[in-house]
Amino acid sequence: MGSIGSDAYLYQIVAKGHSPPIVKSAEGIYFTLENGQKVLDATGGAAVSAIGHGNKAVKDAIIRQLEAVTYAHNGFFQNTPALELADWLVKSTGGQLSRACILNSGTGSEAVEAALKLAYQYFAELSPQSPRLNFISRRGSWHGCTIGALSVGDIKFKKTLFAPLLLKNVSQVSPCHPWRDMKKGETTEDYVNRLKQELEDEFQRLGPETVCGFIIEPMVGTALGCVTALPGYLRAMKEVCDRHGALLIFDEIMCGLGRTGIQHEWQHEGVVPDIQTVGKVLGGGYAPVSALLIHDRVINGLKRGSGMFLHTQTYQAQPITCAAALATQRYIEENNLIENVRCMGEYLGEQLQLHLGEHPLVGDVRGRGLFWGVEMLKDKATKAPFNSELNIAKRIRLRGLEKDYNICIFTATGAADGWTGDQLLLAPPFIVQKQDVDEIIRRVVKVMDSVWKDIEPAVRG
């Protein structure tokens, strides 16, 4: 057996000398590291830990399920936690979506793969000679790391190396990103209509009868840094899809299940998708689980064909993960935590604007609920990003984990054009209180001030 910290773990082989710290324990909104540091978890990993760490209700639910049944292949058996979780998910949509397919991983990758397959199968079931093969996605999006998910996503440095492997039936249109892309003098209505026409033009270029679906994040997370769609945008996109008979797919892996202050992000406008992905918050960090939520339109299409979705994997609807997810969602519901997300999210946004809005590193602060992004810019007037060689996002993340700062901050790059641009995301657990938000702000500002002090001489030139 190798010792802890050996070179056996793949990350260490490719990390070029940087080794992340080892977590010893976690409770509430704090990690305790092996070296004794107590680190505030301001991001829930990648917006995952919705109810914090060490929740007794969820742990008890997992233990009860361990004592009952740990595994039963879903091709042979059903299990009660999976059935109850599916019922809960459907009810969470107000019955607007009628079926749930429980999947293995809590990330978006598998759920997006399954959503693409389901959309294609729907049309193939209706007509074996269906020409509907094309998918449209958006620039400035992120849908996961697997081949299909990478194909519809757009973080360049994660995608470009694998370009020869990617699907050739995917094209992209502009995101709804008013802060960066609205023209001077353009109204919200004008901008939404321009994006609507761009989608229509892409349908026409491909041939409307060849388009299978349009996949978008209703609120973009990692790739752009918490960009919310303008009022009217989702409805406009749905109108184009409906006119041409294509499916509308919402990827809510990161922004869904209460993260933005409402159960599903599409409920802000009441624009119902044909297929929706959920994950991350679903298992809350206690289990790797995601799901598809599916409209009757798609289910009825399958019923007229084979009557089944051709997507089965070994750990799909595994009893323990379903029990953990169900307990997580019930805890959120019973403790009215989505209301807390709304209240604390509003306060978090106000404090970010107050303390970072004029910071020399910061170009924009944006978000909703407990899902906020900060984009760093060299020039606020031109919105030009910092030189990528400064590694600002990486500096912020690593500085936060140092002993004098003790905060976990989610950072990413590519907000400007897929390659350049630095952004940080804050997505604390739904259980945070006002004093927790104040502490997050204090530590984030301290990190930002420190990083600015490091790079100011190079920026000033």
Side-chain angles (χ1 to χ4, degrees):
M1 294 290 289
S3 61
I4 292 178
S6 73
D7 288 337
Y9 185 35
L10 177 62
Y11 187 99
Q12 307 243 353
I13 296 173
V14 299
K16 296 183 178 179
H18 170 66
S19 180
I22 296 174
V23 175
K24 181 180 178 181
S25 63
E27 188 71 25
I29 64 170
Y30 287 91
F31 291 113
T32 299
L33 306 185
E34 191 179 49
N35 65 3
Q37 279 182 257
K38 193 173 182 182
V39 176
L40 198 165
D41 182 10
T43 67
V48 172
S49 299
I51 59 174
H53 306 280
N55 184 278
K56 187 176 186 303
V58 179
K59 290 192 294 184
D60 287 348
I62 292 170
I63 291 169
R64 285 195 299 273
Q65 192 57 47
L66 281 169
E67 292 173 342
V69 57
T70 58
Y71 177 73
H73 192 285
N74 71 304
F76 305 139
F77 304 102
Q78 298 186 77
N79 67 79
T80 299
L83 295 175
E84 291 181 348
L85 180 60
D87 283 345
W88 186 92
L89 283 166
V90 168
K91 288 176 183 176
S92 76
T93 73
Q96 297 281 2
L97 299 173
S98 62
R99 295 290 182 96
C101 177
I102 314 298
L103 304 166
N104 295 341
S105 169
T107 69
S109 299
E110 185 196 345
V112 168
E113 294 280 335
L116 299 178
K117 289 173 65 179
L118 178 58
Y120 174 78
Q121 184 184 340
Y122 165 73
F123 289 109
E125 295 273 16
L126 293 179
S127 172
Q129 287 77 43
S130 172
R132 291 191 184 266
L133 182 66
N134 293 313
F135 287 92
I136 303 172
S137 63
R138 303 189 303 178
R139 293 184 291 277
S141 60
W142 179 240
H143 298 290
C145 288
T146 50
I147 295 301
L150 269 181
S151 299
V152 294
D154 189 43
I155 296 182
K156 300 287 197 302
F157 83 92
K158 292 186 177 183
K159 176 177 181 175
T160 301
L161 174 65
F162 304 102
L165 303 178
L166 302 182
L167 302 178
K168 310 306 179 189
N169 58 325
V170 177
S171 60
Q172 294 183 325
V173 295
S174 300
C176 184
H177 195 353
W179 177 77
R180 189 171 282 280
D181 294 340
M182 274 185 76
K183 297 177 181 179
K184 186 176 181 179
E186 193 171 35
T187 66
T188 294
E189 184 179 6
D190 290 341
Y191 178 52
V192 168
N193 284 335
R194 175 158 63 87
L195 294 176
K196 182 179 182 180
Q197 187 61 52
E198 182 182 349
L199 181 61
E200 174 66 30
D201 290 346
E202 186 61 14
F203 267 84
Q204 295 302 328
R205 186 187 73 82
L206 294 168
E209 74 285 354
T210 74
V211 178
C212 191
F214 179 42
I215 180 169
I216 65 173
E217 297 167 274
M219 182 175 177
V220 184
T222 302
L224 295 179
C226 299
V227 173
T228 306
L230 284 173
Y233 171 77
L234 297 181
R235 189 164 304 282
M237 299 302 103
K238 183 173 176 60
E239 287 173 2
V240 176
C241 291
D242 286 350
R243 181 163 60 251
H244 298 300
L247 299 182
L248 181 60
I249 304 168
F250 284 168
D251 179 356
E252 293 204 13
I253 292 290
M254 202 169 199
C255 67
L257 295 179
R259 173 59 64 188
T260 68
I262 199 166
Q263 192 68 256
H264 302 284
E265 177 66 10
W266 56 261
Q267 290 174 329
H268 281 291
E269 288 201 57
V271 178
V272 184
D274 297 296
I275 302 172
Q276 178 189 354
T277 66
V278 291
K280 296 190 184 296
V281 165
L282 183 59
Y286 293 88
V289 57
S290 58
L292 296 185
L293 290 166
I294 309 162
H295 195 278
D296 258 340
R297 169 189 176 184
V298 178
I299 295 298
N300 290 335
L302 296 187
K303 285 179 178 178
R304 292 196 295 272
S306 66
M308 62 184 295
F309 176 31
L310 298 174
H311 183 87
T312 302
Q313 292 183 292
T314 302
Y315 275 89
Q316 198 168 318
Q318 199 252 8
I320 297 173
T321 60
C322 291
L326 187 62
T328 298
Q329 300 314 308
R330 284 175 173 167
Y331 186 87
I332 291 170
E333 193 171 53
E334 291 166 3
N335 291 275
N336 201 23
L337 290 185
I338 295 180
E339 177 61 27
N340 192 59
V341 170
R342 283 193 287 270
C343 294
M344 291 300 101
E346 183 177 342
Y347 181 66
L348 175 59
E350 290 171 353
Q351 295 303 303
L352 284 170
Q353 294 284 1
L354 177 64
H355 294 282
L356 288 180
E358 301 302 321
H359 194 279
L361 277 175
V362 174
D364 191 36
V365 176
R366 53 190 178 241
R368 180 168 11 193
L370 288 176
F371 199 36
W372 284 84
V374 177
E375 183 171 346
M376 278 67 78
L377 288 179
K378 180 180 180 180
D379 189 319
K380 296 184 183 183
T382 65
K383 299 179 182 176
F386 286 100
N387 189 317
S388 59
E389 293 180 359
L390 291 172
N391 290 314
I392 290 175
K394 183 177 180 180
R395 286 174 186 261
I396 290 170
R397 177 173 57 84
L398 295 180
R399 184 62 46 82
L401 294 176
E402 292 178 11
K403 287 187 177 182
D404 289 339
Y405 303 90
N406 292 316
I407 184 166
C408 186
I409 303 172
F410 186 104
T411 62
T413 56
D417 59 9
W419 287 105
T420 61
D422 301 273
Q423 63 265 30
L424 68 83
L425 277 68
L426 295 175
F430 296 5
I431 59 173
V432 292
Q433 300 300 309
K434 186 173 180 291
Q435 65 270 22
D436 302 316
V437 173
D438 290 338
E439 188 61 24
I440 289 170
I441 295 294
R442 186 187 72 79
R443 297 190 191 196
V444 169
V445 170
K446 185 178 179 182
V447 169
M448 298 287 276
D449 287 345
S450 174
V451 169
W452 173 244
K453 184 177 179 181
D454 285 350
I455 70 167
E456 184 179 8
V459 173
R460 301 295 188 196

